[in-house]
Amino acid sequence: MSKDERRVKHITPKTEDFSRWYIEIIQKSELADYAPMKGMMVIRPYGYAVWENIQRLLDQRIKATGHVNAYFPLFIPESFLQKEAEHVQGFSPEVAWVTMGGKEELEERLAVRPTSEAIIGHMYSKWVKSWRDLPVLINQWANIVRWEKVTRPFLRTTEFLWQEGHTCHETSEEAQTETLLILSLYKEFVETELAIPVISGIKSFREKFAGAQETYAIEALMSDGKALQMGTSHNLGQHFSKAFNIRFEDRNQNLQYVWQTSWGMTTRLIGAVIMSHGDDSGLKLPPRVAPIQVVIVPISMGNWKEDVLPAAQAIEEGLKKVGLRVLLDTREEFTPGWKFSEYEMRGVPLRIEIGPRDVKAGQAVLVRRDTREKMTLPLDAMASKVPGILEDIQASLFREAETFLRENTRQAGGYEEFKDVMDNQRGFVKSLWCGSDACEDKIKEDTMATIRVIPLELKSQAGPGACVCCGKEAKALAYFARAY
RNA sequence: CGGGGAGUGGCGCAGCCUGGUUAGCGCGCCUGCCUUGGGAGCAGGAGGUCGUCGGUUCAAAUCCGACCUCCCCGACCA
Protein backbone atom coordinates (compact mmCIF):
# COMPACT_ATOMS: atom_id res chain seq x y z
CA MET A 1 0.00 0.00 0.00
CA SER A 2 1.41 3.38 -0.95
CA LYS A 3 1.63 6.29 1.43
CA ASP A 4 -1.11 7.96 -0.46
CA GLU A 5 -3.47 5.05 -0.07
CA ARG A 6 -2.83 4.80 3.64
CA ARG A 7 -3.57 8.43 4.13
CA VAL A 8 -7.05 8.19 2.73
CA LYS A 9 -7.96 4.68 3.75
CA HIS A 10 -11.09 5.56 5.64
CA ILE A 11 -12.80 7.78 3.10
CA THR A 12 -14.64 6.23 0.20
CA PRO A 13 -13.04 7.62 -2.98
CA LYS A 14 -15.10 10.20 -4.79
CA THR A 15 -14.95 8.32 -8.05
CA GLU A 16 -16.05 5.06 -6.48
CA ASP A 17 -19.22 6.32 -4.83
CA PHE A 18 -19.76 10.07 -4.92
CA SER A 19 -22.70 10.16 -2.62
CA ARG A 20 -21.12 7.96 0.01
CA TRP A 21 -18.01 10.12 -0.23
CA TYR A 22 -20.15 13.19 0.36
CA ILE A 23 -21.84 11.77 3.46
CA GLU A 24 -18.59 10.48 4.91
CA ILE A 25 -16.84 13.81 4.47
CA ILE A 26 -19.62 15.61 6.28
CA GLN A 27 -19.59 13.27 9.23
CA LYS A 28 -15.87 12.74 9.53
CA SER A 29 -14.99 16.38 9.21
CA GLU A 30 -17.72 17.12 11.77
CA LEU A 31 -19.59 19.61 9.64
CA ALA A 32 -22.90 17.99 10.55
CA ASP A 33 -24.51 14.88 11.95
CA TYR A 34 -27.87 13.20 11.54
CA ALA A 35 -30.57 14.04 14.03
CA PRO A 36 -32.92 11.20 15.01
CA MET A 37 -35.85 12.63 13.05
CA LYS A 38 -36.21 11.99 9.36
CA GLY A 39 -34.47 14.49 7.16
CA MET A 40 -33.08 16.58 9.97
CA MET A 41 -29.48 17.28 10.78
CA VAL A 42 -27.41 19.00 13.39
CA ILE A 43 -25.00 21.56 12.03
CA ARG A 44 -21.98 20.98 14.23
CA PRO A 45 -19.64 23.77 15.36
CA TYR A 46 -17.24 23.31 12.45
CA GLY A 47 -20.04 23.42 9.90
CA TYR A 48 -21.77 26.26 11.67
CA ALA A 49 -18.54 28.25 11.63
CA VAL A 50 -18.56 27.93 7.83
CA TRP A 51 -22.15 29.14 7.81
CA GLU A 52 -21.26 32.08 10.04
CA ASN A 53 -18.57 33.11 7.61
CA ILE A 54 -21.01 32.82 4.73
CA GLN A 55 -23.57 34.83 6.68
CA ARG A 56 -21.14 37.57 7.55
CA LEU A 57 -19.81 37.97 4.02
CA LEU A 58 -23.23 37.82 2.40
CA ASP A 59 -24.85 40.05 4.99
CA GLN A 60 -22.23 42.73 4.29
CA ARG A 61 -23.16 42.70 0.63
CA ILE A 62 -26.88 42.74 1.32
CA LYS A 63 -26.47 45.74 3.59
CA ALA A 64 -24.07 47.48 1.22
CA THR A 65 -26.83 47.49 -1.39
CA GLY A 66 -29.20 49.30 0.94
CA HIS A 67 -31.10 46.43 2.52
CA VAL A 68 -31.84 46.09 6.22
CA ASN A 69 -32.49 43.04 8.35
CA ALA A 70 -35.70 42.22 10.20
CA TYR A 71 -37.37 39.16 11.61
CA PHE A 72 -40.84 37.79 10.87
CA PRO A 73 -42.76 35.01 12.64
CA LEU A 74 -42.06 31.33 12.13
CA PHE A 75 -45.77 30.57 11.83
CA ILE A 76 -48.07 31.59 9.02
CA PRO A 77 -51.88 31.25 9.21
CA GLU A 78 -53.22 28.88 6.60
CA SER A 79 -55.49 31.53 5.12
CA PHE A 80 -52.46 33.72 4.34
CA LEU A 81 -50.75 30.98 2.37
CA GLN A 82 -53.91 30.47 0.38
CA LYS A 83 -54.15 34.02 -0.83
CA GLU A 84 -51.83 33.47 -3.77
CA ALA A 85 -53.18 30.51 -5.70
CA GLU A 86 -50.00 29.33 -7.38
CA HIS A 87 -48.04 29.81 -4.17
CA VAL A 88 -50.28 27.58 -2.09
CA GLN A 89 -50.41 24.97 -4.80
CA GLY A 90 -46.64 24.92 -5.09
CA PHE A 91 -45.94 24.66 -1.40
CA SER A 92 -48.85 22.73 0.07
CA PRO A 93 -47.28 19.29 -0.47
CA GLU A 94 -44.38 20.18 1.77
CA VAL A 95 -45.81 22.35 4.51
CA ALA A 96 -45.61 21.26 8.14
CA TRP A 97 -48.66 22.31 10.16
CA VAL A 98 -49.21 23.27 13.75
CA THR A 99 -52.70 22.21 14.74
CA MET A 100 -52.51 22.19 18.53
CA GLY A 101 -51.52 24.76 21.13
CA GLY A 102 -50.92 22.78 24.27
CA LYS A 103 -54.01 20.60 24.56
CA GLU A 104 -56.26 22.85 22.55
CA GLU A 105 -56.90 22.56 18.89
CA LEU A 106 -56.24 25.77 16.97
CA GLU A 107 -59.12 27.40 15.17
CA GLU A 108 -56.90 27.98 12.19
CA ARG A 109 -53.88 25.82 11.67
CA LEU A 110 -50.50 27.47 11.32
CA ALA A 111 -47.94 26.65 8.68
CA VAL A 112 -44.34 26.42 9.75
CA ARG A 113 -42.92 28.79 7.16
CA PRO A 114 -41.83 27.12 3.93
CA THR A 115 -40.91 30.67 2.80
CA SER A 116 -42.19 33.99 4.06
CA GLU A 117 -43.85 35.82 1.18
CA ALA A 118 -47.27 35.41 2.75
CA ILE A 119 -46.60 36.70 6.26
CA ILE A 120 -44.36 39.45 4.95
CA GLY A 121 -46.91 40.42 2.33
CA HIS A 122 -49.48 40.80 5.08
CA MET A 123 -47.21 43.09 7.06
CA TYR A 124 -46.21 45.12 4.03
CA SER A 125 -49.86 45.87 3.33
CA LYS A 126 -49.95 47.57 6.72
CA TRP A 127 -46.71 49.43 6.26
CA VAL A 128 -46.85 50.68 2.70
CA LYS A 129 -49.18 53.59 2.03
CA SER A 130 -47.31 56.09 -0.09
CA TRP A 131 -44.65 56.20 -2.78
CA ARG A 132 -42.55 57.80 -0.04
CA ASP A 133 -42.55 54.44 1.79
CA LEU A 134 -40.86 52.79 -1.17
CA PRO A 135 -38.72 51.00 -1.82
CA VAL A 136 -38.97 48.54 1.06
CA LEU A 137 -35.72 46.62 1.16
CA ILE A 138 -35.86 44.01 3.92
CA ASN A 139 -33.91 40.83 4.43
CA GLN A 140 -34.25 38.19 7.11
CA TRP A 141 -32.03 35.38 8.31
CA ALA A 142 -34.26 32.52 9.32
CA ASN A 143 -34.94 28.83 9.45
CA ILE A 144 -37.34 27.21 7.01
CA VAL A 145 -39.20 23.92 7.10
CA ARG A 146 -40.18 21.94 4.02
CA TRP A 147 -41.39 18.38 4.40
CA GLU A 148 -39.25 16.90 1.67
CA LYS A 149 -39.50 13.28 0.70
CA VAL A 150 -35.88 12.77 -0.16
CA THR A 151 -33.30 14.50 1.98
CA ARG A 152 -29.55 14.81 2.05
CA PRO A 153 -27.39 16.76 4.50
CA PHE A 154 -27.02 20.41 3.47
CA LEU A 155 -28.50 19.86 0.00
CA ARG A 156 -32.03 19.19 1.10
CA THR A 157 -33.05 18.89 4.72
CA THR A 158 -36.45 19.21 6.32
CA GLU A 159 -35.30 22.28 8.21
CA PHE A 160 -32.67 24.57 6.76
CA LEU A 161 -31.21 28.01 7.32
CA TRP A 162 -31.30 30.80 4.79
CA GLN A 163 -31.63 34.45 4.13
CA GLU A 164 -34.68 35.73 2.30
CA GLY A 165 -34.97 39.21 0.91
CA HIS A 166 -38.39 40.73 0.30
CA THR A 167 -38.65 44.05 -1.45
CA CYS A 168 -41.36 46.41 -2.70
CA HIS A 169 -40.95 48.93 -5.49
CA GLU A 170 -42.85 51.67 -7.24
CA THR A 171 -42.41 50.35 -10.72
CA SER A 172 -42.02 47.13 -12.60
CA GLU A 173 -38.69 48.34 -13.92
CA GLU A 174 -37.37 48.98 -10.43
CA ALA A 175 -38.40 45.50 -9.32
CA GLN A 176 -36.66 44.01 -12.32
CA THR A 177 -33.52 46.02 -11.59
CA GLU A 178 -33.57 44.76 -8.01
CA THR A 179 -34.07 41.16 -9.15
CA LEU A 180 -31.05 41.34 -11.41
CA LEU A 181 -28.99 43.29 -8.89
CA ILE A 182 -29.40 40.47 -6.39
CA LEU A 183 -28.74 37.85 -9.03
CA SER A 184 -25.41 39.46 -9.82
CA LEU A 185 -24.68 39.99 -6.14
CA TYR A 186 -25.23 36.28 -5.55
CA LYS A 187 -23.00 35.35 -8.45
CA GLU A 188 -20.24 37.64 -7.26
CA PHE A 189 -20.55 36.34 -3.70
CA VAL A 190 -20.43 32.67 -4.62
CA GLU A 191 -17.56 33.13 -7.04
CA THR A 192 -15.52 35.39 -4.78
CA GLU A 193 -16.08 33.82 -1.38
CA LEU A 194 -16.88 30.20 -2.16
CA ALA A 195 -14.66 29.99 -5.24
CA ILE A 196 -17.46 28.34 -7.18
CA PRO A 197 -18.09 29.58 -10.72
CA VAL A 198 -21.74 29.74 -11.66
CA ILE A 199 -23.91 30.34 -14.64
CA SER A 200 -26.81 32.67 -14.14
CA GLY A 201 -30.00 33.29 -15.99
CA ILE A 202 -33.73 32.93 -16.00
CA LYS A 203 -35.68 29.78 -15.16
CA SER A 204 -38.20 28.20 -17.46
CA PHE A 205 -41.87 28.49 -16.48
CA ARG A 206 -41.77 24.90 -15.22
CA GLU A 207 -38.88 25.63 -12.90
CA LYS A 208 -39.91 29.02 -11.62
CA PHE A 209 -40.84 29.73 -8.00
CA ALA A 210 -44.48 29.15 -7.11
CA GLY A 211 -46.06 32.57 -7.21
CA ALA A 212 -43.31 34.42 -9.00
CA GLN A 213 -43.63 36.17 -12.30
CA GLU A 214 -40.08 35.26 -13.22
CA THR A 215 -37.35 33.37 -11.41
CA TYR A 216 -33.66 33.93 -11.95
CA ALA A 217 -31.02 31.64 -10.55
CA ILE A 218 -27.36 30.88 -10.30
CA GLU A 219 -26.36 27.30 -10.97
CA ALA A 220 -23.08 25.54 -10.37
CA LEU A 221 -21.72 22.24 -11.58
CA MET A 222 -20.72 19.77 -8.89
CA SER A 223 -17.73 17.55 -9.53
CA ASP A 224 -19.94 14.54 -10.29
CA GLY A 225 -21.40 16.43 -13.23
CA LYS A 226 -24.74 17.31 -11.65
CA ALA A 227 -25.96 20.87 -11.39
CA LEU A 228 -26.90 22.56 -8.15
CA GLN A 229 -29.07 25.63 -7.80
CA MET A 230 -27.24 27.93 -5.46
CA GLY A 231 -29.44 30.96 -5.22
CA THR A 232 -32.66 32.33 -6.62
CA SER A 233 -33.95 35.82 -7.25
CA HIS A 234 -37.61 36.23 -8.08
CA ASN A 235 -39.43 39.05 -9.74
CA LEU A 236 -42.83 38.64 -8.10
CA GLY A 237 -44.50 41.28 -10.23
CA GLN A 238 -47.78 42.21 -8.54
CA HIS A 239 -48.80 38.64 -7.75
CA PHE A 240 -48.44 39.02 -4.01
CA SER A 241 -49.25 42.70 -3.77
CA LYS A 242 -52.62 41.97 -5.35
CA ALA A 243 -53.15 38.92 -3.13
CA PHE A 244 -52.20 40.83 0.02
CA ASN A 245 -53.45 44.21 -1.03
CA ILE A 246 -50.15 46.06 -0.79
CA ARG A 247 -51.09 49.40 -2.30
CA PHE A 248 -49.61 52.85 -2.32
CA GLU A 249 -50.54 56.24 -3.63
CA ASP A 250 -48.08 57.10 -6.35
CA ARG A 251 -46.53 60.42 -7.35
CA ASN A 252 -49.59 61.16 -9.49
CA GLN A 253 -52.03 60.39 -6.70
CA ASN A 254 -53.07 57.11 -8.25
CA LEU A 255 -53.58 54.06 -6.05
CA GLN A 256 -51.28 51.28 -7.24
CA TYR A 257 -50.11 47.85 -6.24
CA VAL A 258 -46.40 47.60 -5.42
CA TRP A 259 -43.95 45.60 -7.50
CA GLN A 260 -42.09 43.00 -5.49
CA THR A 261 -39.07 40.75 -5.46
CA SER A 262 -37.87 37.98 -3.21
CA TRP A 263 -34.58 36.14 -3.16
CA GLY A 264 -32.68 33.61 -1.09
CA MET A 265 -29.63 31.51 -0.49
CA THR A 266 -29.39 28.66 2.00
CA THR A 267 -27.16 26.32 3.95
CA ARG A 268 -27.10 24.33 0.73
CA LEU A 269 -24.14 26.53 -0.15
CA ILE A 270 -22.09 24.44 2.26
CA GLY A 271 -23.00 21.32 0.32
CA ALA A 272 -21.85 23.07 -2.83
CA VAL A 273 -18.49 23.90 -1.29
CA ILE A 274 -18.00 20.27 -0.31
CA MET A 275 -18.96 18.91 -3.72
CA SER A 276 -17.17 21.51 -5.79
CA HIS A 277 -13.77 21.44 -4.17
CA GLY A 278 -13.39 18.26 -2.10
CA ASP A 279 -11.20 15.34 -3.08
CA ASP A 280 -10.43 11.81 -1.92
CA SER A 281 -8.58 13.14 1.11
CA GLY A 282 -11.53 15.19 2.24
CA LEU A 283 -12.68 18.77 2.23
CA LYS A 284 -10.94 21.68 0.60
CA LEU A 285 -12.37 24.80 2.14
CA PRO A 286 -11.93 28.12 0.38
CA PRO A 287 -9.81 30.32 2.70
CA ARG A 288 -12.44 33.07 2.75
CA VAL A 289 -14.96 30.85 4.55
CA ALA A 290 -12.70 28.30 6.25
CA PRO A 291 -13.18 28.30 10.04
CA ILE A 292 -9.47 27.58 10.37
CA GLN A 293 -7.42 29.18 7.62
CA VAL A 294 -4.03 28.13 8.92
CA VAL A 295 -3.16 25.27 11.23
CA ILE A 296 0.23 25.19 12.89
CA VAL A 297 1.53 21.73 13.72
CA PRO A 298 4.60 21.75 15.93
CA ILE A 299 6.84 18.72 15.50
CA SER A 300 7.00 17.65 19.09
CA MET A 301 10.38 15.97 19.37
CA GLY A 302 12.62 16.00 22.43
CA ASN A 303 11.99 19.00 24.63
CA TRP A 304 9.93 20.65 21.93
CA LYS A 305 8.11 22.81 24.41
CA GLU A 306 11.26 24.83 24.83
CA ASP A 307 12.77 24.45 21.38
CA VAL A 308 9.75 24.62 19.12
CA LEU A 309 6.68 25.86 20.92
CA PRO A 310 7.76 29.50 21.38
CA ALA A 311 8.45 29.82 17.67
CA ALA A 312 5.11 28.21 16.86
CA GLN A 313 3.34 30.61 19.20
CA ALA A 314 5.12 33.52 17.61
CA ILE A 315 3.83 32.44 14.21
CA GLU A 316 0.33 32.07 15.63
CA GLU A 317 0.38 35.55 17.12
CA GLY A 318 1.83 37.12 14.02
CA LEU A 319 -0.84 35.60 11.80
CA LYS A 320 -3.67 36.47 14.16
CA LYS A 321 -2.41 40.02 14.17
CA VAL A 322 -2.93 40.24 10.43
CA GLY A 323 -6.48 38.99 10.88
CA LEU A 324 -6.18 35.32 10.02
CA ARG A 325 -8.08 32.47 11.67
CA VAL A 326 -5.28 30.34 13.06
CA LEU A 327 -5.13 27.19 15.15
CA LEU A 328 -1.97 26.05 16.90
CA ASP A 329 -2.45 22.37 17.67
CA THR A 330 -0.28 21.53 20.66
CA ARG A 331 -2.01 18.28 21.54
CA GLU A 332 0.49 15.63 22.50
CA GLU A 333 -1.81 12.66 22.14
CA PHE A 334 -1.64 12.84 18.37
CA THR A 335 1.45 12.51 16.22
CA PRO A 336 2.24 15.15 13.61
CA GLY A 337 1.42 12.68 10.86
CA TRP A 338 -2.01 12.09 12.31
CA LYS A 339 -2.63 15.82 12.47
CA PHE A 340 -1.52 16.31 8.88
CA SER A 341 -4.14 13.86 7.66
CA GLU A 342 -6.80 15.16 10.00
CA TYR A 343 -6.51 18.77 8.89
CA GLU A 344 -6.36 17.78 5.27
CA MET A 345 -9.57 15.87 5.76
CA ARG A 346 -11.12 18.89 7.45
CA GLY A 347 -10.09 21.08 4.54
CA VAL A 348 -7.82 23.57 6.31
CA PRO A 349 -6.30 25.54 3.41
CA LEU A 350 -2.78 25.94 4.75
CA ARG A 351 -0.67 23.98 7.21
CA ILE A 352 2.51 25.20 8.82
CA GLU A 353 4.89 22.57 10.17
CA ILE A 354 7.65 23.64 12.48
CA GLY A 355 10.23 21.39 14.14
CA PRO A 356 13.64 21.72 15.79
CA ARG A 357 15.46 21.75 12.45
CA ASP A 358 13.26 24.57 11.20
CA VAL A 359 13.69 26.63 14.32
CA LYS A 360 17.47 26.37 13.97
CA ALA A 361 17.17 27.45 10.36
CA GLY A 362 14.76 30.23 11.28
CA GLN A 363 12.05 28.90 9.00
CA ALA A 364 8.92 26.75 8.82
CA VAL A 365 7.39 24.42 6.26
CA LEU A 366 4.13 25.45 4.60
CA VAL A 367 1.88 22.91 2.90
CA ARG A 368 -1.07 23.91 0.74
CA ARG A 369 -4.18 21.76 1.01
CA ASP A 370 -5.21 22.36 -2.58
CA THR A 371 -2.01 21.41 -4.37
CA ARG A 372 -0.12 19.76 -1.49
CA GLU A 373 2.79 21.95 -2.55
CA LYS A 374 5.43 22.34 0.16
CA MET A 375 7.56 25.43 0.65
CA THR A 376 9.79 26.80 3.35
CA LEU A 377 9.44 30.34 4.54
CA PRO A 378 11.55 32.39 6.97
CA LEU A 379 9.79 32.87 10.29
CA ASP A 380 9.90 36.63 10.00
CA ALA A 381 8.17 36.49 6.63
CA MET A 382 5.08 34.60 7.82
CA ALA A 383 2.79 37.50 8.58
CA SER A 384 3.64 39.24 5.34
CA LYS A 385 3.51 36.21 3.02
CA VAL A 386 0.77 33.93 4.34
CA PRO A 387 -2.20 36.17 3.49
CA GLY A 388 -1.04 36.21 -0.11
CA ILE A 389 -0.70 32.45 -0.18
CA LEU A 390 -4.25 32.09 1.10
CA GLU A 391 -5.47 34.44 -1.61
CA ASP A 392 -3.63 32.35 -4.13
CA ILE A 393 -5.29 29.19 -2.81
CA GLN A 394 -8.67 30.90 -3.08
CA ALA A 395 -7.93 31.92 -6.66
CA SER A 396 -6.57 28.54 -7.54
CA LEU A 397 -9.65 26.73 -6.24
CA PHE A 398 -11.79 29.00 -8.36
CA ARG A 399 -9.68 28.43 -11.46
CA GLU A 400 -9.81 24.70 -11.02
CA ALA A 401 -13.58 24.75 -10.66
CA GLU A 402 -13.83 27.10 -13.61
CA THR A 403 -11.83 24.74 -15.78
CA PHE A 404 -14.08 21.90 -14.71
CA LEU A 405 -17.15 23.93 -15.56
CA ARG A 406 -15.78 24.90 -18.97
CA GLU A 407 -14.71 21.36 -19.81
CA ASN A 408 -18.09 20.01 -18.79
CA THR A 409 -20.23 22.48 -20.65
CA ARG A 410 -21.02 21.17 -24.09
CA GLN A 411 -23.10 22.11 -27.06
CA ALA A 412 -25.57 19.71 -28.56
CA GLY A 413 -27.28 20.44 -31.82
CA GLY A 414 -29.19 17.21 -32.30
CA TYR A 415 -31.27 15.18 -29.90
CA GLU A 416 -29.21 12.00 -30.20
CA GLU A 417 -26.09 13.94 -29.39
CA PHE A 418 -27.90 15.56 -26.49
CA LYS A 419 -28.95 12.23 -25.03
CA ASP A 420 -25.50 10.80 -25.55
CA VAL A 421 -23.83 13.62 -23.62
CA MET A 422 -26.33 13.38 -20.78
CA ASP A 423 -25.87 9.63 -20.48
CA ASN A 424 -22.14 9.46 -20.84
CA GLN A 425 -20.66 12.75 -19.76
CA ARG A 426 -23.20 14.74 -17.82
CA GLY A 427 -22.35 18.36 -17.09
CA PHE A 428 -24.17 21.24 -18.74
CA VAL A 429 -25.45 20.93 -22.25
CA LYS A 430 -26.22 24.11 -24.14
CA SER A 431 -28.98 23.65 -26.64
CA LEU A 432 -31.66 25.58 -28.42
CA TRP A 433 -35.17 25.19 -27.09
CA CYS A 434 -38.53 26.04 -28.61
CA GLY A 435 -39.98 27.25 -25.30
CA SER A 436 -42.66 24.59 -24.98
CA ASP A 437 -43.43 22.65 -21.81
CA ALA A 438 -43.85 19.57 -23.95
CA CYS A 439 -40.23 19.53 -25.07
CA GLU A 440 -39.00 20.35 -21.59
CA ASP A 441 -41.02 17.42 -20.23
CA LYS A 442 -39.88 15.04 -22.92
CA ILE A 443 -36.24 15.91 -22.36
CA LYS A 444 -36.68 15.35 -18.65
CA GLU A 445 -38.33 12.01 -19.23
CA ASP A 446 -35.70 10.84 -21.70
CA THR A 447 -32.59 12.13 -20.00
CA MET A 448 -33.52 13.27 -16.46
CA ALA A 449 -32.12 16.65 -17.45
CA THR A 450 -33.95 19.88 -16.81
CA ILE A 451 -33.44 23.43 -17.94
CA ARG A 452 -31.24 24.96 -15.31
CA VAL A 453 -31.18 28.47 -16.70
CA ILE A 454 -31.51 30.46 -19.86
CA PRO A 455 -28.52 32.80 -19.67
CA LEU A 456 -29.44 36.43 -20.18
CA GLU A 457 -26.35 37.25 -22.15
CA LEU A 458 -27.15 34.41 -24.52
CA LYS A 459 -30.73 35.39 -25.18
CA SER A 460 -29.68 37.19 -28.30
CA GLN A 461 -27.74 34.16 -29.43
CA ALA A 462 -30.87 32.10 -29.75
CA GLY A 463 -31.17 33.50 -33.21
CA PRO A 464 -32.54 31.35 -35.94
CA GLY A 465 -32.27 27.66 -35.19
CA ALA A 466 -34.14 24.52 -34.32
CA CYS A 467 -35.20 23.19 -30.93
CA VAL A 468 -32.93 20.32 -29.92
CA CYS A 469 -35.98 18.22 -29.11
CA CYS A 470 -38.81 18.96 -31.56
CA GLY A 471 -36.92 20.75 -34.32
CA LYS A 472 -39.32 23.67 -34.41
CA GLU A 473 -38.07 27.22 -34.33
CA ALA A 474 -36.06 27.89 -31.18
CA LYS A 475 -36.84 30.73 -28.81
CA ALA A 476 -33.92 30.45 -26.45
CA LEU A 477 -30.56 28.94 -25.77
CA ALA A 478 -30.80 26.97 -22.55
CA TYR A 479 -28.44 25.19 -20.20
CA PHE A 480 -29.66 21.69 -19.46
CA ALA A 481 -28.33 19.35 -16.77
CA ARG A 482 -29.26 16.69 -14.33
CA ALA A 483 -29.61 18.43 -11.03
CA TYR A 484 -29.71 17.87 -7.30
C1' C B 1 -44.52 8.45 -1.88
C1' G B 2 -43.20 3.59 -4.97
C1' G B 3 -38.99 -0.26 -5.66
C1' G B 4 -34.42 -2.24 -3.41
C1' G B 5 -30.67 -2.56 0.70
C1' A B 6 -29.34 -1.73 5.82
C1' G B 7 -29.53 -0.73 11.48
C1' U B 8 -25.11 -5.10 16.79
C1' G B 9 -20.07 -0.28 22.36
C1' G B 10 -17.94 6.29 19.29
C1' C B 11 -16.73 4.22 13.94
C1' G B 12 -16.32 -0.14 10.62
C1' C B 13 -17.93 -5.07 10.84
C1' A B 14 -18.70 -10.70 12.35
C1' G B 15 -22.53 -13.62 14.69
C1' C B 16 -28.65 -14.39 12.51
C1' C B 17 -29.86 -18.96 7.67
C1' U B 18 -29.88 -23.88 11.57
C1' G B 19 -32.78 -19.74 18.75
C1' G B 20 -29.26 -22.27 24.03
C1' U B 21 -24.78 -19.82 29.87
C1' U B 22 -20.74 -14.15 30.74
C1' A B 23 -22.45 -11.15 22.31
C1' G B 24 -17.03 -11.17 19.49
C1' C B 25 -13.19 -8.60 16.27
C1' G B 26 -10.45 -4.18 14.22
C1' C B 27 -10.05 0.98 14.92
C1' G B 28 -11.10 4.68 18.44
C1' C B 29 -11.48 5.90 23.92
C1' C B 30 -9.16 5.78 29.32
C1' U B 31 -4.38 4.82 32.48
C1' G B 32 0.89 4.14 32.37
C1' C B 33 5.51 3.77 29.86
C1' C B 34 7.74 5.02 25.43
C1' U B 35 7.47 7.81 21.05
C1' U B 36 6.58 12.15 17.66
C1' G B 37 9.30 15.50 10.18
C1' G B 38 2.84 11.65 6.85
C1' G B 39 -2.61 8.55 10.65
C1' A B 40 3.75 4.99 16.07
C1' G B 41 4.60 0.74 19.85
C1' C B 42 3.82 -2.16 24.39
C1' A B 43 0.95 -3.28 28.83
C1' G B 44 -3.48 -2.78 31.50
C1' G B 45 -8.67 -1.00 31.38
C1' A B 46 -13.63 1.06 30.43
C1' G B 47 -17.68 0.91 27.28
C1' G B 48 -23.36 -2.77 24.32
C1' U B 49 -31.34 -3.13 27.38
C1' C B 50 -28.03 -6.13 19.55
C1' G B 51 -32.90 0.72 16.14
C1' U B 52 -38.02 0.76 18.90
C1' C B 53 -42.41 -1.70 20.42
C1' G B 54 -45.01 -6.13 20.43
C1' G B 55 -45.50 -11.51 19.36
C1' U B 56 -43.82 -16.91 19.16
C1' U B 57 -40.84 -19.98 22.68
C1' C B 58 -38.72 -23.14 28.63
C1' A B 59 -35.18 -19.76 26.08
C1' A B 60 -34.69 -14.37 20.98
C1' A B 61 -29.18 -10.32 18.41
C1' U B 62 -31.07 -14.85 15.88
C1' C B 63 -37.95 -16.60 14.09
C1' C B 64 -42.71 -13.39 13.10
C1' G B 65 -45.30 -8.42 12.88
C1' A B 66 -45.64 -3.19 13.16
C1' C B 67 -43.11 1.24 13.52
C1' C B 68 -38.56 4.55 13.42
C1' U B 69 -34.03 5.95 10.95
C1' C B 70 -30.23 5.75 7.13
C1' C B 71 -28.42 4.50 2.04
C1' C B 72 -29.41 3.53 -3.34
C1' C B 73 -32.91 3.96 -7.72
C1' G B 74 -37.40 6.58 -9.38
C1' A B 75 -41.70 10.71 -8.90
C1' C B 76 -41.34 15.98 -5.88
C1' C B 77 -38.19 20.06 -4.32
C1' A B 78 -33.50 25.28 -2.17
Side-chain angles (χ1 to χ4, degrees), chain A residues 127-378:
Chain A
W127 297 343
V128 177
K129 295 296 167 205
S130 150
W131 64 271
R132 295 181 204 274
D133 297 327
L134 298 173
V136 176
L137 303 172
I138 291 179
N139 175 66
Q140 85 164 338
W141 290 92
N143 57 338
I144 289 294
V145 169
R146 295 182 188 173
W147 221 260
E148 300 286 356
K149 287 164 184 166
V150 177
T151 57
R152 197 190 286 256
F154 291 114
L155 298 183
R156 183 170 295 102
T157 47
T158 302
E159 179 185 7
F160 57 93
L161 306 181
W162 79 353
Q163 61 65 217
E164 50 180 327
H166 296 268
T167 69
C168 301
H169 306 268
E170 279 185 75
T171 65
S172 171
E173 293 71 33
E174 259 184 59
Q176 178 66 6
T177 301
E178 167 79 3
T179 306
L180 295 181
L181 169 74
I182 295 299
L183 185 71
S184 64
L185 184 155
Y186 280 172
K187 179 176 161 75
E188 186 275 331
F189 168 80
V190 166
E191 295 190 335
T192 305
E193 310 296 358
L194 306 184
I196 300 173
V198 297
I199 55 168
S200 66
I202 190 167
K203 288 279 183 184
S204 68
F205 184 80
R206 272 273 188 282
E207 301 281 330
K208 93 174 167 57
F209 174 74
Q213 182 172 293
E214 285 182 332
T215 289
Y216 296 80
I218 55 171
E219 294 265 341
L221 195 61
M222 302 298 101
S223 54
D224 63 344
K226 286 171 78 174
L228 184 73
Q229 179 172 303
M230 298 193 54
T232 48
S233 183
H234 315 292
N235 185 335
L236 302 177
Q238 293 178 313
H239 294 193
F240 286 87
S241 62
K242 284 180 176 166
F244 288 90
N245 201 34
I246 312 170
R247 292 190 297 179
F248 70 104
E249 203 168 322
D250 71 14
R251 294 165 200 254
N252 303 315
Q253 293 186 293
N254 295 317
L255 208 52
Q256 277 204 47
Y257 290 104
V258 299
W259 300 84
Q260 291 183 279
T261 80
S262 71
W263 28 274
M265 287 211 283
T266 79
T267 34
R268 169 179 273 191
L269 293 176
I270 297 171
V273 167
I274 300 165
M275 293 196 294
S276 294
H277 301 307
D279 65 14
D280 285 351
S281 299
L283 287 172
K284 278 188 198 172
L285 294 176
R288 300 283 192 102
V289 295
I292 303 166
Q293 294 171 306
V294 182
V295 63
I296 303 167
V297 179
I299 308 302
S300 39
M301 301 174 77
N303 52 347
W304 67 281
K305 283 186 181 167
E306 280 128 54
D307 299 344
V308 177
L309 190 57
Q313 286 168 330
I315 298 173
E316 181 192 18
E317 273 174 44
L319 294 180
K320 280 186 172 168
K321 231 172 244 172
V322 294
L324 298 181
R325 298 185 286 275
V326 187
L327 177 71
L328 169 59
D329 187 348
T330 57
R331 290 178 298 175
E332 292 183 85
E333 61 268 35
F334 297 108
T335 63
W338 188 91
K339 292 176 185 174
F340 297 165
S341 300
E342 179 71 7
Y343 291 111
E344 278 170 17
M345 196 260 291
R346 307 244 285 173
V348 175
L350 189 67
R351 174 174 80 239
I352 298 178
E353 309 173 6
I354 181 161
R357 293 202 302 264
D358 299 309
V359 174
K360 270 181 202 148
Q363 62 179 37
V365 177
L366 277 62
V367 186
R368 287 171 62 138
R369 172 63 180 89
D370 61 335
T371 57
R372 291 220 163 79
E373 183 192 345
K374 287 195 178 191
M375 59 200 117
T376 55
L377 207 59

